[in-house]
Amino acid sequence: MKKTEKYNAHRWAVNTLLCILLVGFSACQTNTENQSGFPDFDPQKDYFPEKVSINHSIGFEVEYHKNYKTLHLFRHYNEVADTVSFILVQKGTPAPEANHLPIISIPIQNAVSLSTTHLGMFEMLDAFDALKGIERKEYVSNPRVIEMVAAGKIAEVSPAGALNVETIIEMGTDVVLGVGFPNSQNDSFQQLSRLNIPVLLNADWQEVDLLGRAEWVKMLAVLLNKEALVNEKFSAIEKEFQAVLDLIEEKVTEAPLTITGIAQGDSWQVSGGKSFAYHVLKIAKADYPWKDDNTTGSIMLSFETVYEFGLKADFWIAPGGASTLKNIRERDPRYMDFKSYKNGGIYNVFGRFTEGGGNDYYETGVVEPHIVLKDVVKIFHPELLPDHQLVYYNQLK
């Protein structure tokens, strides 16, 4: 799966500009005075022999230098070329001189995560020892993280819903990992940045495909100097993912019809034809009434419009927060008219969830795109994967 030429051109322009600025400020060089404080530093040594390449994600990029890396976060879903960059410097080596970008010492050892999507990444990289803070345990499903919070090894930095900046400062945090626009003007984030606590805002939620979203694990690996491990694990995921795609291409000749979402009053939001949600359905060879739409998010339609398709659709995927057929009936008895309701074709992402609100689809599922794909294929074409049991999806009963 290739990046679009548009985004490649955008990255080239941004990276060229940054390179010019860095060269202009001699950022890629260190003088004798700077090196004197690091007697063991070898300016000719490549401190990062293992490197990552970003092949699916369009929201970030990494450049490697001898003893530091430059991490770029792109606001790729906006027409404005907007980039936030950080210098990641190997501990025990000097930072580039006259550098105008925020500096992060790597490997990080004291990170705060404000999104459950990061937890699967920490687990994949065997790096929970570097995770010292989370937003709050209420929405966490990972039992190890819950245990570490109970043991006082991981702190809750937003237990009441508001970010506790003082707690983050007192923890001696290396970096805060959040989710949002790369240049967010959030007051708390700005305050942390002014105190030299870098805030890296992932845009993994804006990626348009499963592998693109999963590849954000490489950003965490770059912060941890775990490139070798992530390359090995992600390569295995890519191969398994492609094997499922090849199976679909070879065997599937008919695409069952599906609808998405659920009504809110008289309106119904369904996934747009260019959205992440529809992309999952598309690669699994499902037919979709709004497949030719160009919306990257949701489309607002009338109840009656979607209802007409619901009467004949074979499947109904992700009906809001409904996890049982009782939930469906209570929302509106007219849903009982749907073909998917009568034939057991309603599925949602509650395969692994906790009563407190934690859902592993938004944790481990982020870095297991091959399993998510298998789940969806199992739903639409069960004969292709007879031995696979649903992991992140559940059939509503």
Side-chain angles (χ1 to χ4, degrees), residues 54-232:
I54 311 305
N55 304 310
H56 307 284
S57 296
I58 55 178
F60 76 105
E61 188 60 272
V62 183
E63 296 176 4
Y64 286 89
H65 307 274
K66 291 293 185 181
N67 73 305
Y68 70 95
K69 313 166 190 176
T70 308
L71 173 65
H72 305 299
L73 304 180
F74 303 116
R75 189 170 179 170
H76 60 84
Y77 39 84
N78 191 291
E79 290 301 320
V80 179
D82 202 353
T83 304
V84 176
S85 302
F86 300 85
I87 298 293
L88 317 181
V89 181
Q90 177 65 29
K91 288 179 180 177
T93 71
E97 282 191 352
N99 169 58
H100 62 296
L101 299 176
I103 293 177
I104 300 173
S105 183
I106 58 172
I108 59 171
Q109 297 176 319
N110 193 337
V112 168
S113 167
L114 303 180
S115 172
T116 60
T117 60
H118 302 138
L119 302 183
M121 299 177 185
F122 275 95
E123 184 172 37
M124 178 177 172
L125 299 176
D126 191 23
F128 278 139
D129 58 333
L131 180 61
K132 304 301 183 183
I134 60 171
E135 190 172 27
R136 56 184 179 273
K137 66 179 180 180
E138 178 183 359
Y139 301 122
V140 174
S141 68
N142 188 292
R144 185 176 173 189
V145 174
I146 295 173
E147 290 173 4
M148 292 177 73
V149 172
K153 296 180 179 179
I154 293 179
E156 294 180 273
V157 300
S158 183
L163 190 63
N164 191 323
V165 173
E166 289 74 17
T167 297
I168 294 176
I169 295 171
E170 292 170 0
M171 290 168 56
T173 303
D174 295 329
V175 64
V176 173
L177 303 173
V179 173
F181 302 113
N183 64 342
S184 171
Q185 300 303 303
N186 177 284
D187 289 342
S188 295
F189 295 162
Q190 293 297 312
Q191 183 179 355
L192 289 170
S193 296
R194 287 193 296 269
L195 293 169
N196 294 321
I197 299 177
V199 180
L200 275 62
L201 297 180
N202 292 21
D204 53 358
W205 54 281
Q206 284 287 327
E207 296 289 343
V208 295
D209 60 65
L210 285 166
L211 286 176
R213 185 167 293 188
E215 198 170 31
W216 279 81
V217 68
K218 292 182 180 179
M219 189 195 77
L220 180 59
V222 165
L223 294 168
L224 293 163
N225 283 351
K226 290 200 172 191
E227 281 91 341
L229 179 61
V230 80
N231 284 340
E232 176 186 352

Side-chain angles (χ1 to χ4, degrees), residues 247 251-254 377-387:
L247 182 64
K251 300 291 186 179
V252 175
T253 56
E254 295 184 6
V377 172
K378 180 70 175 184
I379 292 170
F380 296 136
H381 315 288
E383 71 284 355
L384 295 188
L385 299 171
D387 298 326

Side-chain angles (χ1 to χ4, degrees), residues 233-280:
K233 290 194 171 184
F234 200 81
S235 177
I237 288 172
E238 287 176 311
K239 290 178 181 178
E240 193 165 346
F241 191 92
Q242 187 59 51
V244 178
L245 290 182
D246 292 342
L247 182 64
I248 297 170
E249 191 63 32
E250 177 186 356
K251 300 291 186 179
V252 175
T253 56
E254 295 184 6
L257 182 66
T258 185
I259 59 171
T260 61
I262 197 166
Q264 300 289 337
D266 294 329
S267 301
W268 193 316
Q269 287 189 334
V270 301
S271 302
K274 298 296 182 181
S275 66
F276 172 86
Y278 171 59
H279 180 79
V280 179

